[in-house]
Amino acid sequence: MLNEYNDADYGYSQLLCYDLCMQAYIYEQCGCINPSLWNIRYTVLPGTKDINLGTLCNYTNPCYRRVADTFMTSSLIKKKCADCTSQCSLISFPLDISSFTAPLEWQLDGIKAFVENSSVPLPLDWSTAWRMHIQNNYVAVSIVREAGVVDNNRQQAQMNVGDIFSKVGGLTGLWIGLSFLSMMEVIEMLWRLINYQCHLILSAMRNKR
């Protein structure tokens, strides 16, 4: 699929992974692929490494619709698409439809001149109803930035190994008054007691001799 778009910078997309997985399943069940996703023609069947160029299903063919609905509403998506893990970053482009009419009044004369000088066939009533024809057949698409601020959301671990030990030590010292120095003092006391008992045992054994 990606070979069809040269010189593009590709990144992993979980949604695209699901689309590829569904196309492979439809091709496996129907022998053709979903025509709605016409740009995804290459599929790899499960358990193989062969890349297949699938043909588009006929739009009236009910097989791909039935298989796609079953795939999306059952547990097959988790079973067949286990490799489609979450992506590290997500870039979305929200779309807003404006309420402005197109074209604007000051653009009509320029569009009229362009149409008349082109090879576009003109309707019979063009000379009298050209404004209506332009407004009914003209579509304007403007791509603008919604805001100059970019929100970058990242997920990272809130606690590392050092934080865990710090919290355990802090809570231990808070609730039972135990600190690292206290633990060392307890260990030293136990070592002294054991050493003293060993000394008494050795002294008793020497006295018996």
Side-chain angles (χ1 to χ4, degrees):
M1 170 188 172
L2 300 180
N3 293 332
E4 301 297 329
Y5 307 96
N6 297 325
D7 300 328
D9 185 14
Y10 299 111
Y12 172 75
S13 171
Q14 187 181 32
L15 181 60
L16 180 58
C17 182
Y18 281 135
D19 289 340
L20 289 168
C21 183
M22 183 175 65
Q23 284 288 66
Y25 184 70
I26 293 175
Y27 181 78
E28 184 181 13
Q29 298 295 320
C30 303
C32 54
I33 60 176
N34 188 350
S36 300
L37 301 175
W38 54 268
N39 57 327
I40 305 178
R41 301 285 299 275
Y42 294 95
T43 59
V44 179
L45 296 180
T48 65
K49 296 183 179 180
D50 298 331
I51 300 177
N52 303 305
L53 177 60
T55 57
L56 298 178
C57 295
N58 194 313
Y59 188 75
T60 58
N61 186 357
C63 181
Y64 78 91
R65 296 178 184 271
R66 183 182 67 256
V67 173
D69 293 340
T70 304
F71 183 81
M72 297 300 296
T73 58
S74 64
S75 59
L76 285 173
I77 191 170
K78 294 182 179 180
K79 180 180 178 181
K80 297 289 186 179
C81 308
D83 295 333
C84 296
T85 57
S86 300
Q87 58 198 72
C88 298
S89 61
L90 178 63
I91 300 176
S92 60
F93 299 95
L95 301 178
D96 292 329
I97 301 176
S98 67
S99 59
F100 294 103
T101 58
L104 300 177
E105 185 65 27
W106 60 271
Q107 295 176 321
L108 291 176
D109 293 333
I111 297 174
K112 178 177 180 293
F114 172 79
V115 173
E116 291 176 347
N117 294 328
S118 64
S119 59
V120 177
L122 301 177
L124 298 177
D125 58 345
W126 172 260
S127 59
T128 57
W130 61 273
R131 289 178 177 270
M132 180 189 69
H133 288 296
I134 292 177
Q135 291 176 350
N136 292 338
N137 295 277
Y138 187 88
V139 177
V141 178
S142 299
I143 302 176
V144 296
R145 296 175 60 182
E146 184 177 5
V149 179
V150 178
D151 295 330
N152 190 2
N153 299 321
R154 293 185 178 181
Q155 293 183 349
Q156 59 184 7
Q158 295 294 326
M159 295 178 59
N160 52 31
V161 178
D163 295 333
I164 294 175
F165 281 107
S166 298
K167 284 187 174 294
V168 171
L171 293 175
T172 305
L174 177 64
W175 293 109
I176 63 176
L178 184 64
S179 64
F180 181 75
L181 293 177
S182 301
M183 293 176 62
M184 295 301 297
E185 290 176 354
V186 171
I187 294 173
E188 183 183 5
M189 181 185 67
L190 293 175
W191 181 81
R192 287 180 178 273
L193 290 174
I194 294 172
N195 190 25
Y196 179 71
Q197 291 296 327
C198 292
H199 177 71
L200 292 178
I201 294 172
L202 291 175
S203 298
M205 293 175 63
R206 289 172 184 171
N207 292 332
K208 289 181 180 181
R209 292 178 183 177

